[in-house]
Amino acid sequence: MELQGKVIAALPERSGVSQRGEWKSQEFVIETHDPQYPRKLVFTVFGADRLQRFNIQIGQEVLVAFDIDAHEWNGRWFNDIRAYDVRMVDPSTYVAPGQAPVASSPVQPTAAPVQTAQNVDPLAPAAEADVDGGTDNLPF
């Protein structure tokens, strides 16, 4: 999943030692730009290498790609929202829920071929789909 918002808090870094070795993690809070109901989300960045690579700062506009999982501890369930990619974005490029995020580098559109009135016969029937793969672009 992905969500875009402004970083409004950075919680203290945590570290420790497990059977696999040393670990570091830090939680961040972002707020979305929904005009009616702005949402807040706390996500975790796990690993010293990711913390250094993402270099998240309060006030930055970010696009967070994350996984959601849950775990049980002492009979209670807890959500775990772990970021695997965080990208800085231009604050003016708000991504509404359900829309595709804006690419970090703009893509130049290619010019589509222009069909002139000379090339089109208005009385000709539309191209019909054949059995093997037709031209209607339907998925079935």
Side-chain angles (χ1 to χ4, degrees):
M1 298 184 79
E2 289 185 337
L3 190 65
Q4 182 176 330
K6 181 179 181 179
V7 179
I8 60 170
L11 303 177
E13 190 176 280
R14 297 182 311 178
S15 62
V17 178
S18 69
Q19 292 177 348
R20 297 180 189 167
E22 290 185 35
W23 58 269
K24 285 186 180 181
S25 72
Q26 188 171 7
E27 293 179 326
F28 299 91
V29 181
I30 62 170
E31 184 173 39
T32 65
H33 301 290
D34 188 344
Q36 191 171 6
Y37 301 109
R39 307 275 184 202
K40 294 177 180 72
L41 173 80
V42 177
F43 65 92
T44 304
V45 176
F46 192 85
D49 59 329
R50 286 186 179 162
L51 285 169
Q52 185 178 15
R53 184 175 65 217
F54 299 157
N55 191 24
I56 302 168
Q57 304 295 320
I58 295 175
Q60 288 178 325
E61 185 72 20
V62 294
L63 178 65
V64 181
F66 56 90
D67 288 324
I68 301 175
D69 196 13
H71 62 276
E72 184 266 339
W73 186 70
N74 287 342
R76 293 192 61 197
W77 285 88
F78 300 90
N79 287 323
D80 184 24
I81 301 173
R82 190 170 290 186
Y84 59 86
D85 191 24
V86 178
R87 296 184 185 187
M88 304 317 140
V89 294
D90 183 4
S92 64
T93 58
Y94 164 64
V95 176
Q99 290 183 345
V102 177
S104 57
S105 61
V107 177
Q108 299 297 326
T110 58
V114 177
Q115 202 170 31
T116 63
Q118 298 169 355
N119 300 343
V120 178
D121 180 6
L123 301 177
E128 298 205 346
D130 60 14
V131 176
D132 294 328
T135 58
D136 62 0
N137 294 333
L138 291 176
F140 48 89

